Amino acid sequence: EVRLVESGGGLVQPGGSLRLSCAASGFTFSSYEMTWVRQAPGKGLEWLSYISTSSSTIYYADSVRGRFTTSRDNAKESQFLLMNSLRVEDTAVYYCARSESSGLGGRPEHFDVWGQGTRVTVSS
Amino acid sequence: DIQMTQSPSSLSASVGDRVTITCQAGQDINNHLNWYQQKPGKAPNLLIYDISRLEPGVPSRFTGSGSGTEFTFTISSLQPEDIGTYYCQQFETLPITFGQGTRLEIK
């Protein structure tokens, strides 16, 4: 079964840090690009980041660039999101997703496998 | 950023009805559009990619069409399990952006 499982969420104070993990199984992780998407309470979906198979290409949304860092460990079949300088507005459910391409890849296109999400609450 | 505007924001329909959701892009997105379904408390699920390609395992009652800046998502015969929120998503340019969602309920 193709599966993504996020972990690492929790309650953190403004200005604090958290590291999210996403463990993949059921597919050849190293062959797939990955992404992070979040959803604030009662709101829509917000794309955050993309990482290519070799980590050579990384993109971020403006809202998190400079504060969040995405990475991956193909040997451990995992993707990570290090979140620093957290703000109240970063409160959301964070989803890890597999990024598929109809073409040559190298950029995020459609997200065909999602994890169940991990909740991050930033509050004092 | 490319703004994606869905309409309606919510709708209520009866089982068996034909349901249509539209998505308007703020600029030409060269057919780089996907559709997702999100059921309450669950992660989004990819239904259609590249305008009209059905994701494997997705029922054929779901279809997508459109071009340029105007796109349509249709459920040909609404089923009870189709309740949820539907999102369009463009991948023409970064950042990836989603529509605000259309909440679908059963009458």
Side-chain angles (χ1 to χ4, degrees):
Chain A
E1 180 191 4
V2 173
R3 199 172 179 212
L4 295 171
V5 178
E6 301 94 337
S7 60
L11 174 63
V12 61
Q13 292 187 337
S17 298
L18 273 180
R19 185 182 189 238
L20 306 184
S21 299
C22 170
S25 60
F27 64 99
T28 306
F29 179 76
S30 59
S31 297
Y32 287 88
E33 300 155 358
M34 299 295 293
T35 199
W36 288 94
V37 175
R38 71 182 177 186
Q39 187 169 36
K43 302 297 184 182
L45 302 170
E46 180 187 13
W47 171 80
L48 299 179
S49 69
Y50 158 92
I51 187 167
S52 64
T53 55
S54 64
S55 305
S56 61
T57 301
I58 292 174
Y59 300 118
Y60 294 101
D62 286 347
S63 59
V64 303
R65 186 179 294 112
R67 300 188 300 124
F68 290 12
T69 302
T70 189
S71 61
R72 65 189 293 162
D73 184 332
N74 287 340
K76 295 183 177 179
E77 299 187 306
S78 295
Q79 157 175 236
F80 308 98
L81 187 66
L82 175 61
M83 305 185 296
N84 293 324
S85 304
L86 282 162
R87 306 166 179 166
V88 171
E89 54 265 35
D90 293 319
T91 294
V93 174
Y94 285 71
Y95 294 103
C96 161
R98 190 173 80 174
S99 182
E100 258 290 23
S101 169
S102 301
L104 298 176
R107 62 171 187 161
E109 293 192 11
H110 54 274
F111 312 135
D112 67 335
V113 179
W114 295 66
Q116 84 289 351
T118 187
R119 187 173 302 273
V120 172
T121 302
V122 185
S123 174
S124 55
Chain B
D1 298 7
I2 297 179
Q3 184 169 354
M4 305 299 290
T5 304
Q6 291 180 229
S7 62
S9 294
S10 65
L11 73 103
S12 180
S14 300
V15 172
D17 282 355
R18 182 181 182 87
V19 170
T20 297
I21 299 169
T22 63
C23 179
Q24 181 172 28
Q27 64 188 66
D28 190 331
I29 58 172
N30 288 311
N31 302 339
H32 291 154
L33 185 100
N34 307 317
W35 290 95
Y36 299 83
Q37 174 196 61
Q38 185 178 32
K39 297 189 177 183
K42 301 295 185 181
N45 181 46
L46 177 67
L47 299 179
I48 291 171
Y49 64 99
D50 295 352
I51 302 289
S52 59
R53 296 185 180 188
L54 202 63
E55 178 71 358
V58 173
S60 59
R61 65 179 179 274
F62 298 106
T63 58
S65 63
S67 65
T69 62
E70 298 283 340
F71 303 92
T72 299
F73 172 84
T74 300
I75 306 174
S76 60
S77 178
L78 186 65
Q79 300 301 303
E81 60 267 30
D82 297 338
I83 60 167
T85 301
Y86 292 81
Y87 294 93
C88 60
Q89 172 239 320
Q90 68 81 22
F91 59 97
E92 168 65 7
T93 61
L94 295 177
I96 298 293
T97 48
F98 293 86
Q100 83 278 14
T102 295
R103 179 176 292 182
L104 175 58
E105 299 176 338
I106 302 289
K107 277 183 186 175

